[in-house]
Amino acid sequence: MAQELRWNESEFEIVMNSHGLPIEDVMQKLQRCRPEVARSRDAIEIVTEGTHRFHMGKENCGILSRMMINMLKEKQHPIRCPKCGIEF
């Protein structure tokens, strides 16, 4: 089985800005952003859960990559959690 390509910052931004969107729409946005990679529903849900756990102060257990965690820590403006909708 081939190893899945790492998420890039643009893809993660799409997921971070996806609260309220149907997952199919998020999948389409990701496909347009990076056509060579097809992110699965499960992969998107994992990243969404990791972002939610981050803002709730829970252990991520390796869900998010170092790049994703850094982006969340260094954010310049509030982010709406893609899972629960709370701004953090």
Side-chain angles (χ1 to χ4, degrees):
M1 181 191 305
Q3 184 176 357
E4 189 169 326
L5 293 174
R6 293 178 189 257
W7 287 70
N8 66 26
E9 291 181 5
S10 297
E11 289 175 297
F12 187 53
E13 285 277 345
I14 289 169
V15 174
M16 288 193 305
N17 292 307
S18 68
H19 176 71
L21 292 178
I23 194 137
E24 292 79 14
D25 291 356
V26 179
M27 291 171 78
Q28 288 176 357
K29 286 182 175 202
L30 289 168
Q31 188 67 48
R32 284 191 302 270
C33 170
R34 198 168 175 196
E36 71 276 14
V37 180
R39 299 293 179 195
S40 68
R41 175 183 296 272
D42 288 344
I44 296 165
E45 289 173 350
I46 288 168
V47 171
T48 298
E49 178 64 26
T51 302
H52 178 69
R53 292 181 67 79
F54 176 88
H55 90 82
M56 296 297 291
K58 296 181 179 176
E59 178 62 42
N60 254 294
C61 301
I63 293 174
L64 299 179
S65 70
R66 182 168 284 128
M67 174 274 294
M68 293 172 179
I69 291 170
N70 288 340
M71 283 183 68
L72 291 170
K73 286 181 178 177
E74 298 168 3
K75 64 189 180 339
Q76 300 297 313
H77 53 82
I79 297 169
R80 185 168 304 280
C81 175
K83 181 174 181 175
C84 71
I86 291 175
E87 241 183 40
F88 66 99

